[in-house]
Amino acid sequence: MNTLIIYDSVFGNTEKIARVMGDALSETGPVEVLHVSKVNSDSLIGRDVLLVGSPTRAFQPTKGIKQFFKHIPGGGLKGMKVGAFDTRASLVDINSRFLDFMVKLFGYAAEPIDTLLVKKGGERLLQPAGFFVKDSEGPLKEGEAERAAEWVNQGK
Ligand SMILES: Cc1cc2nc3c(=O)[nH]c(=O)nc-3n(C[C@H](O)[C@H](O)[C@H](O)COP(=O)(O)O)c2cc1C
């Protein structure tokens, strides 16, 4: 199994999660963990599995992740197994009714990433997943790195 994990990250939390996933998958074959700015047209060649992760920013993936999908042609992910993940703030910590309401309406980054991965021809290997940071910039909440490893282990 040849895996590519593409991530974007502003404060480093999503990168940490991506690297934990990479380590957890290393026994399954080659794994590359790439910042989205380093992805080029050759990056997807020969991959069996593609995981894409982003911080949730204003209920969405980052611009970088959205741009990445714009460059993938229709059917470009055919034959690849895919999974989407994000990092997000914990609503319990923020305790805002307004934010609860907005999140119910607009959600998090992992779901739109999952939709794009499948729209481009990928076969969903893992259900979209979100990992919590403390406050708005992190660090990761306790146990989230372990949960990220468990998440990818389900796809082995
Ligand atoms: C400008 C800004 C907007 C954010 N918007 C959201 C949001 O809509 N929903 C959410 O759960 N967290 C939101 N967050 C928290 C981010 O998800 C958090 O900073 C991110 O998970 C950290 O990942 P990173 O270290 O990889 O950048 C926001 C943070 C910032 C700074």
Side-chain angles (χ1 to χ4, degrees):
M1 189 162 105
N2 184 325
T3 302
L4 175 63
I5 304 176
I6 295 174
Y7 70 91
D8 200 357
S9 192
V10 181
F11 306 114
N13 299 281
T14 317
E15 175 171 10
K16 235 177 231 166
I17 291 284
R19 297 204 178 278
V20 166
M21 290 176 180
D23 289 345
L25 288 175
S26 60
E27 67 190 44
T28 66
V31 181
E32 192 173 7
V33 181
L34 264 188
H35 188 270
V36 69
S37 64
K38 303 263 163 63
V39 174
N40 61 42
S41 51
D42 292 340
S43 301
L44 296 178
I45 295 171
R47 308 295 185 175
D48 306 303
V49 174
L50 172 66
L51 305 180
V52 178
S54 174
T56 303
R57 305 277 295 207
F59 314 101
Q60 294 175 37
T62 60
K63 254 189 206 156
I65 293 290
K66 288 192 263 186
Q67 274 307 113
F68 159 72
F69 282 105
K70 285 200 177 129
H71 288 112
I72 299 180
L77 301 182
K78 256 202 181 124
M80 250 178 251
K81 294 195 170 144
V82 296
F85 63 95
D86 66 43
T87 56
R88 51 182 74 175
S90 165
L91 288 174
V92 180
D93 292 355
I94 294 172
N95 191 19
S96 148
R97 276 195 171 173
F98 175 67
L99 204 59
D100 281 358
F101 170 75
M102 294 294 277
V103 165
K104 278 202 185 100
L105 263 185
F106 298 112
Y108 296 101
E111 286 76 14
I113 295 173
D114 173 74
T115 302
L116 285 164
L117 285 166
V118 172
K119 194 174 157 200
K120 297 288 184 178
E123 181 196 335
R124 187 182 296 107
L125 175 68
L126 292 160
Q127 291 299 321
F131 301 97
F132 292 103
V133 303
K134 288 182 188 154
D135 302 318
S136 79
E137 298 185 5
L140 290 167
K141 290 197 100 175
E142 237 161 71
E144 292 304 81
E146 291 77 7
R147 211 158 63 75
E150 282 164 21
W151 183 68
V152 287
N153 283 337
Q154 291 166 33
K156 278 184 185 168

